Every structure is written in structure tokens, then in C-alpha cells.
Amino acid sequence: MAPKAFKPLLVISFGLAILAFVTPWAVKPASRDLAIRASAVLAASWFAVVVYAFIKFKRRGLWFLLGTPLIGFWFFVLFVIAWGCAHNVKACP
């Protein structure tokens, strides 16, 4: 049987991951940089929840890693942009 704190914490983890993924698309293009920064703060909060889950639930904390693709999306996008800029200055946005 799962501890009572597992399910609410898992829902919070998924909520943070979804918010971090959706935030940059939910704002106007003019403030997209600020939204990506807010997404990074949400990702840091998600990471703290995952670390806490691993400490508290041990192997069952692996379920909290299901939000990783949503969290990593914008970091991957920024990496691809930086990679393009490093190899071709004309490719910079």
C-alpha cells in the first residue's frame, strides 16, 4: 500500500512538469524569454520534488521521473539554438 503522501506528491510533480512545458507557449511571443525563465524555475521546483521523492520513497521515486521529457523540452530547444549559433552566426534568432 502506498503512503498517503505519494499520490499528492506525484500529482504535484506532474503539475509542475506540465506547467514548465506549457508556460512558454501560453504567453505572447514578446515575453517568451521571461516565460522560458519561469519554466526554468518550475523545472528547478520539479527537480526538488523528485529529489525529495527519491529520499522518501526510494525505488518508488522512479515514478516521479515520468515528467522528465516535459521538463527537458525547453532545455533541449535552447541547446539546439545555442548549437546553431555557435556553428553559424546567421542561424541565430
Side-chain angles (χ1 to χ4, degrees), residues 47-68:
F47 183 73
V49 169
V50 170
V51 168
Y52 174 76
F54 273 112
I55 292 170
K56 184 166 175 93
F57 303 117
K58 309 285 188 241
R59 283 187 60 132
R60 294 194 62 207
L62 289 172
W63 284 103
F64 289 81
L65 293 177
L66 288 174
T68 304

Side-chain angles (χ1 to χ4, degrees), residues 5-16 46 49 53 57 60-67:
F6 184 81
K7 288 180 184 178
L9 198 60
L10 187 62
V11 170
I12 289 170
S13 171
F14 287 149
L16 286 172
W46 174 85
V49 169
F57 303 117
R60 294 194 62 207
L62 289 172
W63 284 103
F64 289 81
L65 293 177
L66 288 174

Side-chain angles (χ1 to χ4, degrees), residues 12-78:
I12 289 170
S13 171
F14 287 149
L16 286 172
I18 290 169
L19 276 174
F21 180 71
V22 172
T23 299
W25 278 319
V27 298
K28 295 179 183 176
S31 59
R32 187 149 312 189
D33 290 340
L34 182 61
I36 290 175
R37 288 185 187 139
S39 179
V41 170
L42 289 168
S45 301
W46 174 85
F47 183 73
V49 169
V50 170
V51 168
Y52 174 76
F54 273 112
I55 292 170
K56 184 166 175 93
F57 303 117
K58 309 285 188 241
R59 283 187 60 132
R60 294 194 62 207
L62 289 172
W63 284 103
F64 289 81
L65 293 177
L66 288 174
T68 304
L70 296 174
I71 291 295
F73 177 77
W74 288 110
F75 291 112
F76 178 73
V77 168
L78 293 175

